[in-house]
Amino acid sequence: MNFAGASILSVDQFERADIEKIFAVADKMEPYAKRQLVTRVLEGAILGNMFFEPSTRTRVSFGCAFNLLGGEVRETTGFKSSAIAKGESLYDTARVLSGYSDVICMRHPESGSVGEFAAASRVPVVNGGDGANEHPSQALLDLYTIQKEVGRSLDGLRIAMIGDLKFGRTVHSLIRLLKLYRNIHVVLVSPAELSMPESYIEEMRLAGHSVEVSNELTDGIGSVDIVYSTRIQEERFESQEEADLYRGRFRLNQQIYTKYCQPNTVIMHPLPRDSRSGANELDNDLNQNPNLAIFRQADNGVLVRMALFALILDVADQVDKSAREVNWYHRRT
Ligand code: NCD
């Protein structure tokens, strides 16, 4: 695909070569993300960061990524602080905000809303999550992390996706991205009521991959390279009581890991993990487990989002031109 000026709304836009390109640019971003070098390649550019649903990582890492490339960030969070609370349409908001920004990142609770916004926007839009639909930048950073963690080609990968596979947009985008590789084996572990929508499973099978569906955590995690755990998406349920029925159903802790997983199985989660006692899908006792990749995964979000901005604003090959060393104390790892 041609990245320059493109909106990133769905993982369906990508071919394997596009993903390789994003990852190659992401690799080059490491010294900047680690604050060893600074670049001003996006000096003068403005990111409009519009988040209408709670977010920590996605919002802040999009903002940091843009800042690290030398650009400025303007933000609006929640409906209450935006004119949408006064009845403004997505169309009008998009027309206005795209006059103030060079690229916009947006998260919104409704499926398809970010696409609708992008159609009215005068600048590229990156989908930071639209309801239960898609979260393409998360899927890219997940795949980037998987590749780094397993240290070999993604072909032949075995992955278990666990938890709320019905409403979880990260697993929806990730499974569709994995479709582009060869001979993938996916184990889907969820309560029957929260299973992965059939259309995603069909697409995988049609593309020649194998998909296994299970309601038992211990069945699913024994023979995979990656265990990808997810949170019950309580905000998408009709009531809290309904969400509570499923909370805490599939808990991974060190004891279960030691007993059932292979010693090198990598543990991932898009975060936030729900650390309240009734949930705890990834127990804190895994924190010292070297295969717990969740914080490396979150760090990788900055690299991948820097790469997306550099490609969309067409400066990927100019990043190093304005590079200089930093002169403040910086972390070395
Ligand atoms: C996810 C999301 O918002 O879809 N979080 C994230 O962006 N890292 C997952 C979640 O909220 O459970």
Side-chain angles (χ1 to χ4, degrees):
M1 69 178 271
N2 181 10
F3 283 97
S7 287
I8 307 291
L9 301 174
S10 161
V11 293
D12 280 350
Q13 291 170 250
F14 302 125
E15 289 175 13
R16 201 165 156 158
D18 302 318
I19 295 169
E20 277 156 23
K21 181 158 192 183
I22 296 167
F23 290 180
V25 178
D27 285 344
K28 285 201 336 190
M29 297 301 176
E30 198 151 331
Y32 304 99
K34 284 189 177 159
R35 321 293 202 272
Q36 290 154 350
L37 295 174
V38 281
T39 174
R40 309 301 303 161
V41 75
L42 286 188
E43 190 158 30
I46 295 177
L47 164 69
N49 217 11
M50 306 180 60
F51 276 71
F52 297 113
E53 268 195 332
S55 173
T56 303
R57 266 150 298 275
T58 307
R59 181 171 57 85
V60 177
S61 68
F62 268 129
C64 286
F66 210 76
N67 285 151
L68 286 167
L69 290 167
E72 303 274 343
V73 183
R74 290 288 172 274
E75 227 169 53
T76 160
T77 50
F79 286 109
K80 280 198 196 119
S81 61
S82 138
I84 290 185
K86 298 180 181 175
E88 187 166 57
S89 65
L90 275 180
Y91 177 89
D92 287 5
T93 311
R95 298 302 293 173
V96 172
L97 262 294
S98 57
Y100 301 159
S101 325
D102 299 283
V103 57
I104 292 175
C105 293
M106 184 174 173
R107 171 173 287 186
H108 192 283
E110 272 166 48
S111 251
S113 54
V114 182
E116 184 187 332
F117 181 92
S121 170
R122 293 177 273 169
V123 299
V125 175
V126 181
N127 183 359
D130 61 326
N133 184 35
E134 278 240 30
H135 195 346
S137 67
Q138 179 72 43
L140 288 167
L141 79 89
D142 289 342
L143 206 61
Y144 184 70
T145 303
I146 292 172
Q147 195 167 52
K148 274 192 159 174
E149 296 288 327
V150 300
R152 57 170 165 76
S153 157
L154 294 166
D155 293 325
L157 186 82
R158 303 173 66 85
I159 179 170
M161 298 182 179
I162 299 161
D164 184 350
L165 307 183
K166 178 181 180 187
F167 293 120
R169 55 193 169 201
T170 70
V171 284
H172 296 165
S173 288
L174 183 57
I175 197 168
R176 291 179 115 173
L177 209 51
L178 284 169
K179 207 175 59 185
L180 296 175
Y181 293 82
R182 267 185 244 124
N183 195 21
I184 304 290
H185 180 67
V186 189
V187 188
L188 301 172
V189 182
S190 71
E193 300 84 348
L194 301 184
S195 57
M196 175 74 75
E198 203 50 47
S199 59
Y200 294 96
I201 300 178
E202 265 319 296
E203 276 181 38
M204 274 307 266
R205 288 189 174 142
L206 277 174
H209 304 293
S210 73
V211 182
E212 188 183 322
V213 176
S214 166
N215 315 112
E216 276 297 328
L217 178 69
T218 49
D219 288 351
I221 59 177
S223 59
V224 291
D225 306 301
I226 307 283
V227 166
Y228 188 102
S229 170
T230 65
R231 178 181 69 88
I232 300 298
Q233 307 283 294
E234 58 183 4
E235 62 276 34
R236 313 244 179 267
F237 287 79
E238 303 264 308
S239 68
Q240 191 62 48
E241 291 71 40
E242 197 193 344
D244 288 344
L245 293 175
Y246 306 107
R247 204 193 298 278
R249 284 273 285 276
F250 300 109
R251 295 181 182 186
L252 183 64
N253 59 25
Q254 186 56 49
Q255 194 201 348
I256 295 173
Y257 182 90
T258 308
K259 185 160 178 204
Y260 294 98
C261 291
Q262 291 170 22
N264 289 330
T265 303
V266 176
I267 307 163
M268 294 176 61
H269 190 301
L271 301 180
R273 57 176 159 171
D274 187 341
S275 294
R276 290 170 288 191
S277 58
N280 241 349
E281 67 266 11
L282 276 189
D283 201 290
N284 283 332
D285 73 359
L286 290 160
N287 287 356
Q288 305 314 318
N289 184 324
N291 294 319
L292 183 77
I294 56 176
F295 301 117
R296 295 191 288 277
Q297 186 182 354
D299 280 354
N300 287 336
V302 173
L303 301 176
V304 168
R305 290 177 172 128
M306 287 177 82
L308 286 177
F309 290 136
L311 287 163
I312 293 169
L313 294 175
D314 206 13
V315 291
D317 52 2
Q318 295 170 47
V319 174
D320 297 336
K321 283 191 193 153
S322 61
R324 61 179 170 78
E325 293 202 352
V326 300
N327 48 16
W328 65 82
Y329 172 81
H330 61 89
R331 62 193 160 109
R332 308 239 162 224
T333 53

